[in-house]
Amino acid sequence: MRATRAIIRLDAFRYNLRLVRSRVGSARKICVPVKADGYGHGAVPLAKTALEEGAEFLAVATADEGAELREAGITAPILLLSIPLPEEIPELIVDKLIPLAGDRDFVRELAATAEQGGEVLSVHLKVDTGMGRIGCPPESAAELAALIAGSKHLKLGGVATHLAVSDSLKQDDVAYTKEQLTRFGRAVEDIKKAGIDPGLVHTANTGALAFHEDAFFDMVRPGILLYGYAPAGAEQVLPVKPVMELVSQIMFIKQVKKGETVSYGRIWTADRDTTIATIPVGYGDGLPRRLSGDFQVRINDAWYPLVGRICMDQCMADLGPNTAIRRWDSVSFFGADALSAADLAAKLGTISYEITCGINKRVPRIYVDT
Ligand SMILES: *Cc1c(COP(=O)(O)O)cnc(C)c1O
């Protein structure tokens, strides 16, 4: 196996899940989003660990992601968060995925396909209270709930909405979240008033889990929090631990003279005689090339700048003139002991999600559970 690996600490994931459990209590269900291959950590091992720890639901974005979990023998309920093509509906029925539906046409398609299979399909109604992505307007929630509950081959298993700015403590954002929750609460009331059991009511993503207890309802769906990243301002209440660490080893060491340049484009010139380490990690592994010239790696408990352009498969660190570091020594890019994926993301104007999801298939995932 190559030197570059993503260490996945299942013990940290378990720890994070226990923090979430203690926050929401045992009466509520926890739904663990494992979409995009478990935010890049590996959907199947993370899903299995989550279920061992007592999580009740999983969530995926595509029918294929759901099928992968079923093929691995996972029988827990799985929510399908995005809308599939009509031709994917038979697959989701076979795999007993629970679609989120937010329009009449899709509900009818689901009902027709479920009828052909002679099945009763659980569906969760998705209400758009201000995310502006998928879901019905709150005013039509009761009508759609009636359509689902009234269909012989569908069952209303739950009602959900998604929050757009729940991870922010800015006054406007908090007010917007409260407004979304008010709209959602009214939609759920409308459904109940129509004499329909809404099933599991759920909305809390990571931000809501951190900042909005009134959003917990019957089930929570925190994703990035479980992978070790709390929103800014919640680190104290939810001291989660990063699950992924990207590591590698030095493959080549050389002396470089003052005035010599390193890597493509010659953007870096040695201002003194120094030692350069070449490490087999590049943008082909998911280390963003835009970090060139603005990144430090950790080697033997000290920090060293990456210098020159990050290449597809390799990058270079400046170890300084007199180094005790040797070829094959370990290098940490982000995670436990190095910068966090959130620090990296901040440099790039993105979020930790994009960093962990971006660590490519070429990087083997090594699961550690102590
Ligand atoms: C991805 C997703 C989540 C989890 O979001 P986090 O910000 O990672 O907590 C919850 N609900 C829906 C509908 C999602 O798409």
Side-chain angles (χ1 to χ4, degrees):
M1 191 187 299
R2 64 187 293 228
T4 302
R5 302 150 190 221
I7 309 290
I8 308 296
R9 293 185 200 280
L10 294 176
D11 45 332
F13 185 66
R14 291 178 197 277
Y15 173 84
N16 299 340
L17 201 52
R18 284 180 209 142
L19 279 181
V20 169
R21 177 60 80 193
S22 69
R23 187 147 174 80
V24 302
S26 55
R28 292 192 180 93
K29 294 186 195 302
I30 299 176
C31 172
V32 177
V34 291
K35 59 198 185 186
D37 203 23
Y39 291 42
H41 296 68
V44 168
L46 279 278
K48 286 187 170 167
T49 307
L51 297 169
E52 273 171 32
E53 284 296 323
E56 290 87 354
F57 266 68
L58 301 168
V60 296
T62 69
D64 287 348
E65 290 179 337
E68 187 193 359
L69 298 179
R70 292 295 183 232
E71 276 156 25
I74 289 169
T75 56
I78 302 174
L79 279 180
L80 181 64
L81 299 172
S82 303
I83 308 292
L85 285 172
E87 60 260 38
E88 293 176 282
I89 296 175
E91 298 166 35
L92 77 87
I93 290 176
V94 168
D95 284 326
K96 295 206 177 345
L97 307 184
I98 304 168
L100 290 179
D103 67 273
R104 301 182 74 86
D105 286 351
F106 184 48
V107 170
R108 291 206 182 98
E109 293 257 17
L110 289 171
T113 315
E115 183 170 8
Q116 282 167 22
E119 306 262 349
V120 176
L121 178 69
S122 177
V123 176
H124 287 206
L125 175 63
K126 184 73 180 284
V127 185
D128 185 2
T129 57
M131 173 68 185
R133 191 166 66 180
I134 55 172
C136 68
E139 310 80 66
S140 350
E143 181 198 330
L144 263 176
L147 187 67
I148 297 168
S151 159
K152 252 205 322 219
H153 294 275
L154 302 180
K155 177 179 107 189
L156 184 64
V159 180
T161 192
H162 195 47
L163 302 169
V165 285
S166 59
D167 59 347
S168 161
L169 286 172
K170 281 191 207 135
Q171 219 177 345
D172 282 2
D173 291 338
V174 172
Y176 192 81
T177 302
K178 295 294 171 212
E179 178 59 27
Q180 280 200 270
L181 292 173
T182 304
R183 289 180 194 155
F184 185 53
R186 270 194 227 122
V188 172
E189 272 317 301
D190 289 351
I191 293 168
K192 286 182 182 162
K193 274 191 215 137
I196 301 163
D197 176 0
L200 287 174
V201 176
H202 54 102
T203 178
N205 53 3
T206 289
L209 202 101
F211 301 132
H212 298 278
E213 267 184 61
D214 50 346
F216 289 1
F217 298 103
D218 303 327
M219 181 163 82
V220 297
R221 319 185 296 260
I224 198 70
L225 188 69
L226 293 171
Y227 298 103
Y229 293 97
E235 301 90 346
Q236 306 283 311
V237 205
L238 291 163
V240 288
K241 300 176 183 171
V243 176
M244 179 189 289
E245 180 177 11
L246 182 66
V247 299
S248 189
Q249 284 166 268
I250 296 171
M251 283 290 127
F252 193 81
I253 283 203
K254 63 176 177 290
Q255 301 304 314
V256 164
K257 293 235 175 319
K258 179 177 177 180
E260 290 182 351
T261 62
V262 163
S263 196
Y264 289 121
R266 306 184 66 213
I267 61 169
W268 186 81
T269 306
D271 60 4
R272 64 198 187 315
D273 292 358
T274 190
T275 314
I276 295 289
T278 304
I279 310 156
V281 177
Y283 61 81
D285 298 301
L287 181 69
R289 183 174 176 275
R290 277 174 52 211
L291 289 170
S292 300
D294 181 23
F295 191 60
Q296 298 207 314
V297 293
R298 197 147 169 101
I299 308 171
N300 302 346
D301 297 325
W303 299 96
Y304 299 91
L306 287 190
V307 294
R309 287 249 161 80
I310 293 170
C311 309
M312 185 184 289
D313 314 307
Q314 301 172 73
C315 62
M316 277 63 79
D318 182 2
L319 305 180
N322 307 303
T323 183
I325 293 172
R326 296 286 168 254
R327 192 180 204 179
W328 316 126
D329 281 359
S330 301
V331 184
S332 177
F333 281 77
F334 68 83
D337 301 323
L339 291 176
S340 73
D343 297 328
L344 242 88
K347 288 176 180 293
L348 295 163
T350 183
I351 51 177
S352 51
Y353 307 59
E354 196 179 347
I355 304 296
T356 64
C357 284
I359 300 305
N360 176 303
K361 284 269 185 261
R362 183 167 85 175
V363 179
R365 269 65 173 168
I366 308 296
Y367 294 92
V368 179
D369 202 355
T370 51

